[in-house]
Amino acid sequence: MTQPPSFPPEYPEPTGGPAHPDAAQVPPGRPPVPGPRQPHIPPQEPPYPQPSQYPTAAAQPPQYPTAAAQPPQYPTAAAQPPPYPAGPQPPQYPGAGPAPHYPSAPQPQPPYPHAAAAPPSPYPQTSAVPPPASPLHPHHIDTVRGRVHVSSRQRHTDATAFGNLLLHLPNFLCSLIVVALVSLVLGDVGLLVILVWLASGALVFHRPTESALARHLLRLRYPTPQERATLEPVWREVTARAGVEGRAYELWVEDSDSLNAVAAAGHIVGVTSFALNRLPNGELAAVMAHELGHHVGGHAWSGLLGHWYALPGRIAWRLLRAVTGILFHVSRAFSCLGVAFFGLCVGGIAFATISTLYGLPLLLLGMPYALAAVGRRSELRADRHAAALGFAPMLAAVLEKLHQQEQETEQARLAAAGQGGGEPPKEKAASRLLSSHPDYHTRLHHLQEYLQPAR
């Protein structure tokens, strides 16, 4: 085997790159001369690629917007800035022109705020009361009803009706005496006159007589079709709650600007045009329920019957007063002696009448007060009847309106008499005792048990 040469192998020179600066340059074709051993120099790594060259001036640069392109339009100085509230303008002092007009008195300022209305409140506001005919009125009632229960007992006679008949008994006896005296003048037909007068009380329940009474004495009329369309549903609701046959009664209307109603004879129920057109149907139902209470309790027919049988005595009393007044004026022509003589004659006749009739004429002096007391009691019973049917709040509202109307009427009367500046005079005790209706506060007091909520 051959020995390897003692000099290191010859490594080819790398091509494509420069020689190391410290290496010895060996001419080509000659073997290298051995010399001292040089340290091993690792081969040079290939150079990294150079970064790409940017285009030179020959390359065209990218086209950017030139000055020819129009820039976006921004608001210029010509645009007006938004108006801002300016400060208060200084007062204009009068110059060469006419002087400004200054008000002589301070003008009332409108309520704050001046410029805009106040924003709506988040809390519920109290709305105005709807008109009477509106279904949204608090006293509006539903008049649509299906089956109706009719009670077997349609009428009765309560204590006030009995008391009314008993208090009319002295008037009835006086009228009987007057009719008997007239029958003595007529001779044989006198007894027939007395019997006819006694039987005439049945005319109170006679329908044609009731109609004549309503038209000529009470000044009532039949309702128009529009008025009947308003009255009948309300009346049907009232009678349905009471269990009464509503067709047994007749509805009438009185042309009046006052709040009122009437129950007369045996079947008449009348309301004023004011109550018909100005009241909600619930309050109108309360008024009609009150009048129905007079019919159901017997107040209407007992009062009319007593008034009918007392009519001859009242006619005789008015004739006696007229004759007495004439004689008194005649006696004054004969000085004091004539007046004394007249007084003695009248006193003697009155004493003889009282002695003969066992003091019965003295009872007539207290009859008006007693009858007024019974009338007030019957009004309270009729109020209770309407309240028991569920119309207590409506009836209280009607009583308040009636009270206000009475006060306005009294103030108008005082103003017409020239006493409008002072306080209205208090009602006298005798006037209160002769009143057939209780005062407003008394009636409202008796309704309190129906106005209180159920526990």
Side-chain angles (χ1 to χ4, degrees):
M1 296 182 66
T2 59
Q3 294 294 329
S6 59
F7 51 87
E10 187 180 25
Y11 294 93
E13 289 294 331
T15 62
H20 196 274
D22 296 331
Q25 301 292 329
V26 181
R30 291 182 64 182
V33 180
R37 188 178 184 178
Q38 298 295 329
H40 174 71
I41 298 174
Q44 297 292 327
E45 295 180 359
Y48 292 97
Q50 297 296 324
S52 59
Q53 297 295 326
Y54 290 95
T56 61
Q60 294 296 328
Q63 297 295 327
Y64 292 100
T66 61
Q70 296 296 329
Q73 296 294 329
Y74 294 98
T76 61
Q80 296 296 331
Y84 293 96
Q89 297 295 331
Q92 299 293 331
Y93 295 96
H101 174 72
Y102 295 98
S104 57
Q107 299 295 329
Q109 297 295 331
Y112 181 83
H114 307 288
S121 175
Y123 301 99
Q125 301 292 331
T126 304
S127 59
V129 179
S134 174
L136 301 178
H137 196 280
H139 289 166
H140 180 83
I141 60 174
D142 186 11
T143 56
V144 178
R145 181 175 288 271
R147 298 179 61 184
V148 176
H149 170 72
V150 178
S151 176
S152 59
R153 187 182 182 186
Q154 296 289 299
R155 295 172 181 258
H156 64 276
T157 305
D158 58 18
T160 55
F162 275 117
N164 198 6
L165 292 175
L166 289 177
L167 290 176
H168 276 101
L169 185 59
N171 296 331
F172 169 75
L173 295 177
C174 292
S175 297
L176 182 60
I177 292 173
V178 172
V179 173
L181 293 176
V182 173
S183 64
L184 292 177
V185 179
L186 298 177
D188 295 337
V189 297
L191 182 60
L192 182 61
V193 171
I194 296 176
L195 295 177
V196 169
W197 176 72
L198 292 175
S200 63
L203 295 175
V204 173
F205 304 97
H206 186 234
R207 291 299 183 94
T209 305
E210 288 183 0
S211 299
L213 175 67
R215 285 195 301 268
H216 302 292
L217 185 61
L218 301 178
R219 302 297 181 182
L220 302 178
R221 61 171 176 82
Y222 285 111
T224 62
Q226 293 80 7
E227 294 171 341
R228 189 175 295 277
T230 303
L231 284 174
E232 287 186 349
V234 177
W235 178 246
R236 186 165 52 248
E237 175 66 21
V238 171
T239 54
R241 294 191 184 188
V244 175
E245 180 58 53
R247 291 174 295 181
Y249 299 89
E250 292 184 358
L251 302 178
W252 297 75
V253 176
E254 177 187 0
D255 293 322
S256 175
D257 293 334
S258 62
L259 176 57
N260 199 7
V262 62
H267 310 90
I268 295 177
V269 176
V271 297
T272 60
S273 56
F274 179 90
L276 178 62
N277 299 323
R278 301 290 184 86
L279 296 182
N281 65 344
E283 296 179 8
L284 180 61
V287 172
M288 302 180 80
H290 174 89
E291 303 305 328
L292 180 62
H294 284 308
H295 279 297
V296 172
H299 311 153
W301 68 263
S302 62
L304 183 59
L305 188 64
H307 180 80
W308 173 256
Y309 281 124
L311 192 57
R314 293 186 179 186
I315 294 175
W317 172 250
R318 291 182 179 180
L319 290 176
L320 182 61
R321 287 181 58 183
V323 172
T324 305
I326 293 174
L327 293 177
F328 177 74
H329 288 290
V330 171
S331 64
R332 293 179 61 182
F334 297 96
S335 69
C336 295
L337 294 177
V339 175
F341 177 75
F342 174 77
L344 291 175
C345 292
V346 173
I349 294 173
F351 180 78
T353 303
I354 293 173
S355 301
T356 304
L357 299 177
Y358 303 99
L360 183 62
L362 294 178
L363 296 177
L364 299 177
L365 299 177
M367 283 299 104
Y369 299 95
L371 289 173
V374 173
R376 292 193 294 271
R377 179 58 58 180
S378 65
E379 292 296 329
L380 294 178
R381 284 182 175 268
D383 288 347
R384 188 170 301 175
H385 177 269
L389 297 181
F391 299 112
M394 297 79 163
L395 184 60
V398 171
L399 292 178
E400 182 178 0
K401 293 179 181 178
L402 183 61
H403 180 60
Q404 293 177 355
Q405 193 176 75
E406 290 175 352
Q407 288 183 333
E408 292 174 358
T409 303
E410 182 66 19
Q411 291 177 358
R413 187 185 65 83
L414 293 177
Q419 302 176 3
E423 296 182 357
K426 296 183 179 180
E427 189 178 6
K428 297 181 180 179
S431 300
R432 291 198 300 268
L433 292 176
L434 289 173
S435 177
S436 60
H437 286 68
D439 60 278
Y440 163 71
H441 301 285
T442 302
R443 299 178 73 172
L444 194 62
H445 172 73
H446 284 80
L447 288 177
Q448 289 302 316
E449 58 178 319
Y450 298 96
L451 294 175
Q452 296 176 356
R455 296 181 180 178

